[in-house]
Amino acid sequence: CCCRALVARPAGGLRTLRGVATGPEMHFGFQTVTEEERREKIYQVFESVAKKYDVMNDSMTLGIHRVWKDILIHKMNPSPGTLLLDVAGGTGDIAFRFINYIRSVRERQLQRKLRHHQNLSWQEIFESYQKDKFNSLGDSQVVVCDINREMLKVGKQKAEHLGYAEGLSWVLGNAEELPFDDDMFDVYTIAFGIRNVTRIDLALQEAYRVLKPGGRFLCLEFSHVSNPLLSRLYDLYSFQFIPVLGEVIAGDWKSYQYLVESIRRFPPQEELKAMIEDAGFFRVDYENLNFGIVAIHSGFKL
């Protein structure tokens, strides 16, 4: 991994949060479980769905999850040199989009530069392009951090298949105790991952810790639909259709039943906004997409 050495925290540098391991009772979907049981059950869910994760995302959202992730990257608007940490991003969807975005920015920059130098020879233009090809990300890097080995494995296979290698690292790690130093990253993203974190407050504190001053937190997550009629239709679709889809496509009713229940248990937009502010972030706001089926929350570390 090209930047594992750059980002990994020194051995023994992890803060231990083991004291909260068994902890109070919590929700796993609509069940009540201990904190440790919830952590274990969620791990099993994602181990179970990893191989079919992309197919199921397409089926469950009719492909719209791709548009939501594109919107997240455009909202981020990263520039060459940006160091991104994508948490719970095992299958690489955000990482690959980030790399594509940076490459297209670099390409536009190069074209602008060459247009301003009309008198360059063919040889000079060729050399400029060759040089840019070797540094198409302009020192940008993305670190994908996921707690689940199976999800990381799927992501790495996808990266290999799609030809992504430069500027990309894969790290096994827990959102609640990230294996990175303080003040490291320009941007922290978590897409459809925060509702599966056992302690959201700890994950938000960790996001704040690893971001540089001026760094940005971005969270894309299923949220709460305010329109009563749409909300009823959405419930009907979620509870009647998605678990059946999970059974048909992935042979796994229970995991998809949990995913639906976890969406309903997740804090609504204003509540999550308050939690992000409690973690220390400033200028926290959110944007509802598709009437609040999902929301993008954003905040800055000052």
Side-chain angles (χ1 to χ4, degrees):
C1 283
C2 57
C3 58
R4 182 71 58 91
L6 168 74
V7 295
R9 247 173 148 186
L14 281 177
R15 292 181 309 136
T16 50
L17 304 170
R18 303 297 175 211
V20 296
T22 47
E25 290 191 329
M26 311 198 101
H27 296 293
F28 173 77
F30 292 162
Q31 298 174 41
T32 303
V33 293
T34 67
E35 209 169 292
E36 196 52 55
E37 282 171 341
R38 184 177 194 271
R39 201 170 269 130
E40 183 57 37
K41 280 174 178 288
I42 289 171
Y43 191 90
Q44 285 165 3
V45 163
F46 284 93
E47 198 162 44
S48 163
V49 303
K51 286 186 177 66
K52 297 283 186 178
Y53 188 74
D54 289 332
V55 180
M56 278 303 299
N57 273 349
D58 280 335
S59 310
M60 274 168 28
T61 68
L62 311 175
I64 301 168
H65 75 101
R66 295 168 183 270
V67 178
W68 295 333
K69 287 165 183 169
D70 288 341
I71 292 169
L72 180 74
I73 295 292
H74 280 272
K75 201 174 173 74
M76 185 197 303
N77 189 21
S79 52
T82 299
L83 185 57
L84 168 67
L85 174 64
D86 183 39
V87 175
T91 57
D93 273 8
I94 300 300
F96 304 152
R97 280 170 171 77
F98 170 80
I99 289 171
N100 291 346
Y101 194 93
I102 295 287
R103 279 179 182 163
S104 69
V105 170
R106 292 278 295 167
E107 179 68 22
R108 285 199 301 275
Q109 284 177 347
L110 179 67
Q111 285 172 359
R112 269 202 307 274
K113 190 173 84 179
L114 293 177
R115 269 202 299 273
H116 286 144
H117 298 289
Q118 297 286 358
N119 55 348
L120 288 180
S121 69
W122 170 83
Q123 184 65 29
E124 286 166 325
I125 290 171
F126 177 77
E127 281 168 6
S128 272
Y129 262 102
Q130 287 302 103
K131 199 173 83 182
D132 187 65
K133 208 166 71 177
F134 290 114
N135 191 15
S136 67
L137 294 179
D139 300 324
S140 290
Q141 296 200 30
V142 52
V143 180
V144 179
C145 180
D146 202 296
I147 198 168
N148 196 290
R149 284 179 198 280
E150 278 304 306
M151 294 289 277
L152 284 172
K153 201 164 111 187
V154 170
K156 285 177 186 174
Q157 285 166 353
K158 263 171 73 180
E160 213 169 293
H161 176 66
L162 297 168
Y164 292 101
E166 181 203 1
L168 179 60
S169 294
W170 306 87
V171 176
L172 188 70
N174 183 350
E176 296 167 47
E177 43 180 335
L178 292 168
F180 308 111
D181 286 333
D182 299 356
D183 307 328
M184 288 214 59
F185 297 94
D186 301 302
V187 185
Y188 170 113
T189 50
I190 184 162
F192 304 117
I194 204 162
R195 76 179 190 283
N196 299 308
V197 165
T198 305
R199 290 275 303 275
I200 293 172
D201 56 336
L202 292 181
L204 292 171
Q205 285 167 28
E206 281 290 88
Y208 187 87
R209 181 183 67 75
V210 300
L211 277 169
K212 294 174 184 173
R216 188 174 193 185
F217 168 85
L218 284 166
C219 168
L220 171 65
E221 189 52 87
F222 287 108
S223 206
H224 288 249
V225 178
S226 52
N227 179 300
L229 177 62
L230 187 62
S231 183
R232 276 202 295 278
L233 288 171
Y234 180 45
D235 274 352
L236 198 67
Y237 170 77
S238 300
F239 287 101
Q240 304 301 321
F241 182 66
I242 288 177
V244 175
L245 205 59
E247 184 61 39
V248 171
I249 293 177
D252 190 346
W253 178 293
K254 271 162 68 176
S255 291
Y256 287 92
Q257 180 73 27
Y258 156 72
L259 291 174
V260 171
E261 291 174 2
S262 72
I263 292 167
R264 294 307 178 276
R265 282 281 181 202
F266 191 68
Q269 289 88 326
E270 283 292 333
E271 205 178 307
L272 182 59
K273 181 186 174 190
M275 292 173 82
I276 296 166
E277 286 169 341
D278 287 346
F281 288 100
F282 288 85
R283 280 187 51 205
V284 179
D285 61 16
Y286 61 86
E287 179 186 350
N288 284 328
L289 306 177
N290 295 86
F291 307 100
I293 288 175
V294 298
I296 298 175
H297 281 73
S298 166
F300 293 88
K301 175 176 175 173
L302 297 183

mmCIF file with all atom_site columns, all heavy atoms in Angstrom, residues 121-137:
data_model
loop_
_atom_site.group_PDB
_atom_site.id
_atom_site.type_symbol
_atom_site.label_atom_id
_atom_site.label_alt_id
_atom_site.label_comp_id
_atom_site.label_asym_id
_atom_site.label_entity_id
_atom_site.label_seq_id
_atom_site.pdbx_PDB_ins_code
_atom_site.Cartn_x
_atom_site.Cartn_y
_atom_site.Cartn_z
_atom_site.occupancy
_atom_site.B_iso_or_equiv
_atom_site.pdbx_formal_charge
_atom_site.auth_seq_id
_atom_site.auth_comp_id
_atom_site.auth_asym_id
_atom_site.auth_atom_id
_atom_site.pdbx_PDB_model_num
ATOM 1   N N   . SER A 1 121 ? 6.470  23.362 -28.769 1.00 0.00 ? 121 SER A N   1
ATOM 2   C CA  . SER A 1 121 ? 6.669  22.390 -29.852 1.00 0.00 ? 121 SER A CA  1
ATOM 3   C C   . SER A 1 121 ? 5.885  21.114 -29.539 1.00 0.00 ? 121 SER A C   1
ATOM 4   O O   . SER A 1 121 ? 5.484  20.885 -28.396 1.00 0.00 ? 121 SER A O   1
ATOM 5   C CB  . SER A 1 121 ? 8.156  22.048 -29.976 1.00 0.00 ? 121 SER A CB  1
ATOM 6   O OG  . SER A 1 121 ? 8.562  21.307 -28.825 1.00 0.00 ? 121 SER A OG  1
ATOM 7   N N   . TRP A 1 122 ? 5.723  20.275 -30.564 1.00 0.00 ? 122 TRP A N   1
ATOM 8   C CA  . TRP A 1 122 ? 5.033  18.996 -30.367 1.00 0.00 ? 122 TRP A CA  1
ATOM 9   C C   . TRP A 1 122 ? 5.728  18.191 -29.277 1.00 0.00 ? 122 TRP A C   1
ATOM 10  O O   . TRP A 1 122 ? 5.098  17.583 -28.422 1.00 0.00 ? 122 TRP A O   1
ATOM 11  C CB  . TRP A 1 122 ? 5.008  18.213 -31.682 1.00 0.00 ? 122 TRP A CB  1
ATOM 12  C CG  . TRP A 1 122 ? 4.536  16.797 -31.464 1.00 0.00 ? 122 TRP A CG  1
ATOM 13  C CD1 . TRP A 1 122 ? 3.245  16.375 -31.378 1.00 0.00 ? 122 TRP A CD1 1
ATOM 14  C CD2 . TRP A 1 122 ? 5.357  15.651 -31.246 1.00 0.00 ? 122 TRP A CD2 1
ATOM 15  N NE1 . TRP A 1 122 ? 3.214  15.028 -31.120 1.00 0.00 ? 122 TRP A NE1 1
ATOM 16  C CE2 . TRP A 1 122 ? 4.485  14.553 -31.029 1.00 0.00 ? 122 TRP A CE2 1
ATOM 17  C CE3 . TRP A 1 122 ? 6.732  15.431 -31.204 1.00 0.00 ? 122 TRP A CE3 1
ATOM 18  C CZ2 . TRP A 1 122 ? 4.945  13.264 -30.793 1.00 0.00 ? 122 TRP A CZ2 1
ATOM 19  C CZ3 . TRP A 1 122 ? 7.194  14.151 -30.961 1.00 0.00 ? 122 TRP A CZ3 1
ATOM 20  C CH2 . TRP A 1 122 ? 6.314  13.079 -30.753 1.00 0.00 ? 122 TRP A CH2 1
ATOM 21  N N   . GLN A 1 123 ? 7.077  18.205 -29.303 1.00 0.00 ? 123 GLN A N   1
ATOM 22  C CA  . GLN A 1 123 ? 7.876  17.444 -28.329 1.00 0.00 ? 123 GLN A CA  1
ATOM 23  C C   . GLN A 1 123 ? 7.568  17.905 -26.899 1.00 0.00 ? 123 GLN A C   1
ATOM 24  O O   . GLN A 1 123 ? 7.390  17.095 -25.985 1.00 0.00 ? 123 GLN A O   1
ATOM 25  C CB  . GLN A 1 123 ? 9.368  17.633 -28.644 1.00 0.00 ? 123 GLN A CB  1
ATOM 26  C CG  . GLN A 1 123 ? 10.311 16.811 -27.755 1.00 0.00 ? 123 GLN A CG  1
ATOM 27  C CD  . GLN A 1 123 ? 10.158 15.306 -27.956 1.00 0.00 ? 123 GLN A CD  1
ATOM 28  O OE1 . GLN A 1 123 ? 9.802  14.865 -29.047 1.00 0.00 ? 123 GLN A OE1 1
ATOM 29  N NE2 . GLN A 1 123 ? 10.375 14.536 -26.912 1.00 0.00 ? 123 GLN A NE2 1
ATOM 30  N N   . GLU A 1 124 ? 7.468  19.223 -26.711 1.00 0.00 ? 124 GLU A N   1
ATOM 31  C CA  . GLU A 1 124 ? 7.211  19.776 -25.366 1.00 0.00 ? 124 GLU A CA  1
ATOM 32  C C   . GLU A 1 124 ? 5.804  19.403 -24.877 1.00 0.00 ? 124 GLU A C   1
ATOM 33  O O   . GLU A 1 124 ? 5.604  19.081 -23.707 1.00 0.00 ? 124 GLU A O   1
ATOM 34  C CB  . GLU A 1 124 ? 7.391  21.299 -25.379 1.00 0.00 ? 124 GLU A CB  1
ATOM 35  C CG  . GLU A 1 124 ? 8.847  21.724 -25.453 1.00 0.00 ? 124 GLU A CG  1
ATOM 36  C CD  . GLU A 1 124 ? 9.012  23.207 -25.803 1.00 0.00 ? 124 GLU A CD  1
ATOM 37  O OE1 . GLU A 1 124 ? 8.199  23.746 -26.592 1.00 0.00 ? 124 GLU A OE1 1
ATOM 38  O OE2 . GLU A 1 124 ? 9.943  23.826 -25.298 1.00 0.00 ? 124 GLU A OE2 1
ATOM 39  N N   . ILE A 1 125 ? 4.846  19.448 -25.795 1.00 0.00 ? 125 ILE A N   1
ATOM 40  C CA  . ILE A 1 125 ? 3.469  19.065 -25.441 1.00 0.00 ? 125 ILE A CA  1
ATOM 41  C C   . ILE A 1 125 ? 3.423  17.591 -25.045 1.00 0.00 ? 125 ILE A C   1
ATOM 42  O O   . ILE A 1 125 ? 2.833  17.214 -24.030 1.00 0.00 ? 125 ILE A O   1
ATOM 43  C CB  . ILE A 1 125 ? 2.499  19.345 -26.623 1.00 0.00 ? 125 ILE A CB  1
ATOM 44  C CG1 . ILE A 1 125 ? 2.332  20.853 -26.812 1.00 0.00 ? 125 ILE A CG1 1
ATOM 45  C CG2 . ILE A 1 125 ? 1.133  18.687 -26.387 1.00 0.00 ? 125 ILE A CG2 1
ATOM 46  C CD1 . ILE A 1 125 ? 1.590  21.253 -28.067 1.00 0.00 ? 125 ILE A CD1 1
ATOM 47  N N   . PHE A 1 126 ? 4.084  16.761 -25.847 1.00 0.00 ? 126 PHE A N   1
ATOM 48  C CA  . PHE A 1 126 ? 4.130  15.319 -25.578 1.00 0.00 ? 126 PHE A CA  1
ATOM 49  C C   . PHE A 1 126 ? 4.744  15.052 -24.199 1.00 0.00 ? 126 PHE A C   1
ATOM 50  O O   . PHE A 1 126 ? 4.229  14.266 -23.406 1.00 0.00 ? 126 PHE A O   1
ATOM 51  C CB  . PHE A 1 126 ? 4.935  14.614 -26.682 1.00 0.00 ? 126 PHE A CB  1
ATOM 52  C CG  . PHE A 1 126 ? 5.097  13.134 -26.452 1.00 0.00 ? 126 PHE A CG  1
ATOM 53  C CD1 . PHE A 1 126 ? 4.049  12.263 -26.697 1.00 0.00 ? 126 PHE A CD1 1
ATOM 54  C CD2 . PHE A 1 126 ? 6.305  12.619 -25.975 1.00 0.00 ? 126 PHE A CD2 1
ATOM 55  C CE1 . PHE A 1 126 ? 4.195  10.892 -26.471 1.00 0.00 ? 126 PHE A CE1 1
ATOM 56  C CE2 . PHE A 1 126 ? 6.463  11.263 -25.746 1.00 0.00 ? 126 PHE A CE2 1
ATOM 57  C CZ  . PHE A 1 126 ? 5.402  10.398 -26.009 1.00 0.00 ? 126 PHE A CZ  1
ATOM 58  N N   . GLU A 1 127 ? 5.856  15.735 -23.913 1.00 0.00 ? 127 GLU A N   1
ATOM 59  C CA  . GLU A 1 127 ? 6.536  15.536 -22.627 1.00 0.00 ? 127 GLU A CA  1
ATOM 60  C C   . GLU A 1 127 ? 5.662  15.976 -21.451 1.00 0.00 ? 127 GLU A C   1
ATOM 61  O O   . GLU A 1 127 ? 5.650  15.343 -20.402 1.00 0.00 ? 127 GLU A O   1
ATOM 62  C CB  . GLU A 1 127 ? 7.877  16.282 -22.609 1.00 0.00 ? 127 GLU A CB  1
ATOM 63  C CG  . GLU A 1 127 ? 8.974  15.516 -23.359 1.00 0.00 ? 127 GLU A CG  1
ATOM 64  C CD  . GLU A 1 127 ? 10.212 16.345 -23.615 1.00 0.00 ? 127 GLU A CD  1
ATOM 65  O OE1 . GLU A 1 127 ? 10.285 17.491 -23.114 1.00 0.00 ? 127 GLU A OE1 1
ATOM 66  O OE2 . GLU A 1 127 ? 11.112 15.852 -24.324 1.00 0.00 ? 127 GLU A OE2 1
ATOM 67  N N   . SER A 1 128 ? 4.937  17.077 -21.648 1.00 0.00 ? 128 SER A N   1
ATOM 68  C CA  . SER A 1 128 ? 4.012  17.559 -20.599 1.00 0.00 ? 128 SER A CA  1
ATOM 69  C C   . SER A 1 128 ? 2.967  16.501 -20.278 1.00 0.00 ? 128 SER A C   1
ATOM 70  O O   . SER A 1 128 ? 2.675  16.226 -19.121 1.00 0.00 ? 128 SER A O   1
ATOM 71  C CB  . SER A 1 128 ? 3.295  18.832 -21.054 1.00 0.00 ? 128 SER A CB  1
ATOM 72  O OG  . SER A 1 128 ? 4.057  19.948 -20.719 1.00 0.00 ? 128 SER A OG  1
ATOM 73  N N   . TYR A 1 129 ? 2.395  15.913 -21.330 1.00 0.00 ? 129 TYR A N   1
ATOM 74  C CA  . TYR A 1 129 ? 1.372  14.883 -21.137 1.00 0.00 ? 129 TYR A CA  1
ATOM 75  C C   . TYR A 1 129 ? 1.945  13.643 -20.464 1.00 0.00 ? 129 TYR A C   1
ATOM 76  O O   . TYR A 1 129 ? 1.320  13.059 -19.582 1.00 0.00 ? 129 TYR A O   1
ATOM 77  C CB  . TYR A 1 129 ? 0.718  14.496 -22.478 1.00 0.00 ? 129 TYR A CB  1
ATOM 78  C CG  . TYR A 1 129 ? -0.586 15.217 -22.689 1.00 0.00 ? 129 TYR A CG  1
ATOM 79  C CD1 . TYR A 1 129 ? -0.662 16.317 -23.532 1.00 0.00 ? 129 TYR A CD1 1
ATOM 80  C CD2 . TYR A 1 129 ? -1.748 14.823 -22.020 1.00 0.00 ? 129 TYR A CD2 1
ATOM 81  C CE1 . TYR A 1 129 ? -1.858 17.002 -23.720 1.00 0.00 ? 129 TYR A CE1 1
ATOM 82  C CE2 . TYR A 1 129 ? -2.939 15.493 -22.200 1.00 0.00 ? 129 TYR A CE2 1
ATOM 83  C CZ  . TYR A 1 129 ? -2.992 16.585 -23.048 1.00 0.00 ? 129 TYR A CZ  1
ATOM 84  O OH  . TYR A 1 129 ? -4.173 17.249 -23.208 1.00 0.00 ? 129 TYR A OH  1
ATOM 85  N N   . GLN A 1 130 ? 3.151  13.252 -20.888 1.00 0.00 ? 130 GLN A N   1
ATOM 86  C CA  . GLN A 1 130 ? 3.782  12.065 -20.292 1.00 0.00 ? 130 GLN A CA  1
ATOM 87  C C   . GLN A 1 130 ? 4.029  12.277 -18.810 1.00 0.00 ? 130 GLN A C   1
ATOM 88  O O   . GLN A 1 130 ? 3.770  11.412 -17.980 1.00 0.00 ? 130 GLN A O   1
ATOM 89  C CB  . GLN A 1 130 ? 5.114  11.756 -21.006 1.00 0.00 ? 130 GLN A CB  1
ATOM 90  C CG  . GLN A 1 130 ? 4.946  11.179 -22.380 1.00 0.00 ? 130 GLN A CG  1
ATOM 91  C CD  . GLN A 1 130 ? 4.137  9.877  -22.370 1.00 0.00 ? 130 GLN A CD  1
ATOM 92  O OE1 . GLN A 1 130 ? 2.966  9.858  -22.725 1.00 0.00 ? 130 GLN A OE1 1
ATOM 93  N NE2 . GLN A 1 130 ? 4.749  8.801  -21.944 1.00 0.00 ? 130 GLN A NE2 1
ATOM 94  N N   . LYS A 1 131 ? 4.529  13.473 -18.466 1.00 0.00 ? 131 LYS A N   1
ATOM 95  C CA  . LYS A 1 131 ? 4.825  13.790 -17.068 1.00 0.00 ? 131 LYS A CA  1
ATOM 96  C C   . LYS A 1 131 ? 3.535  13.763 -16.241 1.00 0.00 ? 131 LYS A C   1
ATOM 97  O O   . LYS A 1 131 ? 3.481  13.231 -15.146 1.00 0.00 ? 131 LYS A O   1
ATOM 98  C CB  . LYS A 1 131 ? 5.492  15.168 -16.970 1.00 0.00 ? 131 LYS A CB  1
ATOM 99  C CG  . LYS A 1 131 ? 6.246  15.377 -15.655 1.00 0.00 ? 131 LYS A CG  1
ATOM 100 C CD  . LYS A 1 131 ? 7.019  16.683 -15.677 1.00 0.00 ? 131 LYS A CD  1
ATOM 101 C CE  . LYS A 1 131 ? 6.055  17.800 -15.301 1.00 0.00 ? 131 LYS A CE  1
ATOM 102 N NZ  . LYS A 1 131 ? 6.626  19.131 -15.322 1.00 0.00 ? 131 LYS A NZ  1
ATOM 103 N N   . ASP A 1 132 ? 2.477  14.315 -16.836 1.00 0.00 ? 132 ASP A N   1
ATOM 104 C CA  . ASP A 1 132 ? 1.201  14.365 -16.127 1.00 0.00 ? 132 ASP A CA  1
ATOM 105 C C   . ASP A 1 132 ? 0.630  12.971 -15.905 1.00 0.00 ? 132 ASP A C   1
ATOM 106 O O   . ASP A 1 132 ? -0.002 12.695 -14.894 1.00 0.00 ? 132 ASP A O   1
ATOM 107 C CB  . ASP A 1 132 ? 0.192  15.209 -16.918 1.00 0.00 ? 132 ASP A CB  1
ATOM 108 C CG  . ASP A 1 132 ? -1.092 15.419 -16.138 1.00 0.00 ? 132 ASP A CG  1
ATOM 109 O OD1 . ASP A 1 132 ? -1.034 16.075 -15.081 1.00 0.00 ? 132 ASP A OD1 1
ATOM 110 O OD2 . ASP A 1 132 ? -2.134 14.882 -16.541 1.00 0.00 ? 132 ASP A OD2 1
ATOM 111 N N   . LYS A 1 133 ? 0.892  12.086 -16.877 1.00 0.00 ? 133 LYS A N   1
ATOM 112 C CA  . LYS A 1 133 ? 0.379  10.718 -16.772 1.00 0.00 ? 133 LYS A CA  1
ATOM 113 C C   . LYS A 1 133 ? 0.945  10.019 -15.533 1.00 0.00 ? 133 LYS A C   1
ATOM 114 O O   . LYS A 1 133 ? 0.268  9.239  -14.867 1.00 0.00 ? 133 LYS A O   1
ATOM 115 C CB  . LYS A 1 133 ? 0.759  9.939  -18.041 1.00 0.00 ? 133 LYS A CB  1
ATOM 116 C CG  . LYS A 1 133 ? -0.211 8.822  -18.375 1.00 0.00 ? 133 LYS A CG  1
ATOM 117 C CD  . LYS A 1 133 ? 0.005  8.321  -19.785 1.00 0.00 ? 133 LYS A CD  1
ATOM 118 C CE  . LYS A 1 133 ? 1.313  7.547  -19.880 1.00 0.00 ? 133 LYS A CE  1
ATOM 119 N NZ  . LYS A 1 133 ? 1.535  6.968  -21.208 1.00 0.00 ? 133 LYS A NZ  1
ATOM 120 N N   . PHE A 1 134 ? 2.197  10.322 -15.232 1.00 0.00 ? 134 PHE A N   1
ATOM 121 C CA  . PHE A 1 134 ? 2.831  9.688  -14.067 1.00 0.00 ? 134 PHE A CA  1
ATOM 122 C C   . PHE A 1 134 ? 2.431  10.346 -12.754 1.00 0.00 ? 134 PHE A C   1
ATOM 123 O O   . PHE A 1 134 ? 2.712  9.832  -11.689 1.00 0.00 ? 134 PHE A O   1
ATOM 124 C CB  . PHE A 1 134 ? 4.358  9.687  -14.232 1.00 0.00 ? 134 PHE A CB  1
ATOM 125 C CG  . PHE A 1 134 ? 4.823  8.745  -15.295 1.00 0.00 ? 134 PHE A CG  1
ATOM 126 C CD1 . PHE A 1 134 ? 5.417  9.223  -16.457 1.00 0.00 ? 134 PHE A CD1 1
ATOM 127 C CD2 . PHE A 1 134 ? 4.639  7.369  -15.161 1.00 0.00 ? 134 PHE A CD2 1
ATOM 128 C CE1 . PHE A 1 134 ? 5.826  8.341  -17.460 1.00 0.00 ? 134 PHE A CE1 1
ATOM 129 C CE2 . PHE A 1 134 ? 5.048  6.491  -16.156 1.00 0.00 ? 134 PHE A CE2 1
ATOM 130 C CZ  . PHE A 1 134 ? 5.642  6.977  -17.306 1.00 0.00 ? 134 PHE A CZ  1
ATOM 131 N N   . ASN A 1 135 ? 1.816  11.520 -12.828 1.00 0.00 ? 135 ASN A N   1
ATOM 132 C CA  . ASN A 1 135 ? 1.390  12.179 -11.593 1.00 0.00 ? 135 ASN A CA  1
ATOM 133 C C   . ASN A 1 135 ? -0.033 12.694 -11.773 1.00 0.00 ? 135 ASN A C   1
ATOM 134 O O   . ASN A 1 135 ? -0.321 13.861 -11.544 1.00 0.00 ? 135 ASN A O   1
ATOM 135 C CB  . ASN A 1 135 ? 2.350  13.325 -11.251 1.00 0.00 ? 135 ASN A CB  1
ATOM 136 C CG  . ASN A 1 135 ? 2.115  13.860 -9.849  1.00 0.00 ? 135 ASN A CG  1
ATOM 137 O OD1 . ASN A 1 135 ? 1.449  13.226 -9.043  1.00 0.00 ? 135 ASN A OD1 1
ATOM 138 N ND2 . ASN A 1 135 ? 2.629  15.041 -9.575  1.00 0.00 ? 135 ASN A ND2 1
ATOM 139 N N   . SER A 1 136 ? -0.916 11.788 -12.211 1.00 0.00 ? 136 SER A N   1
ATOM 140 C CA  . SER A 1 136 ? -2.270 12.221 -12.587 1.00 0.00 ? 136 SER A CA  1
ATOM 141 C C   . SER A 1 136 ? -3.120 12.625 -11.390 1.00 0.00 ? 136 SER A C   1
ATOM 142 O O   . SER A 1 136 ? -4.190 13.182 -11.553 1.00 0.00 ? 136 SER A O   1
ATOM 143 C CB  . SER A 1 136 ? -2.971 11.108 -13.371 1.00 0.00 ? 136 SER A CB  1
ATOM 144 O OG  . SER A 1 136 ? -3.196 10.000 -12.520 1.00 0.00 ? 136 SER A OG  1
ATOM 145 N N   . LEU A 1 137 ? -2.631 12.343 -10.169 1.00 0.00 ? 137 LEU A N   1
ATOM 146 C CA  . LEU A 1 137 ? -3.412 12.715 -8.982  1.00 0.00 ? 137 LEU A CA  1
ATOM 147 C C   . LEU A 1 137 ? -2.828 13.930 -8.262  1.00 0.00 ? 137 LEU A C   1
ATOM 148 O O   . LEU A 1 137 ? -3.395 14.391 -7.274  1.00 0.00 ? 137 LEU A O   1
ATOM 149 C CB  . LEU A 1 137 ? -3.499 11.542 -7.997  1.00 0.00 ? 137 LEU A CB  1
ATOM 150 C CG  . LEU A 1 137 ? -4.276 10.319 -8.495  1.00 0.00 ? 137 LEU A CG  1
ATOM 151 C CD1 . LEU A 1 137 ? -4.276 9.222  -7.448  1.00 0.00 ? 137 LEU A CD1 1
ATOM 152 C CD2 . LEU A 1 137 ? -5.695 10.690 -8.870  1.00 0.00 ? 137 LEU A CD2 1
#
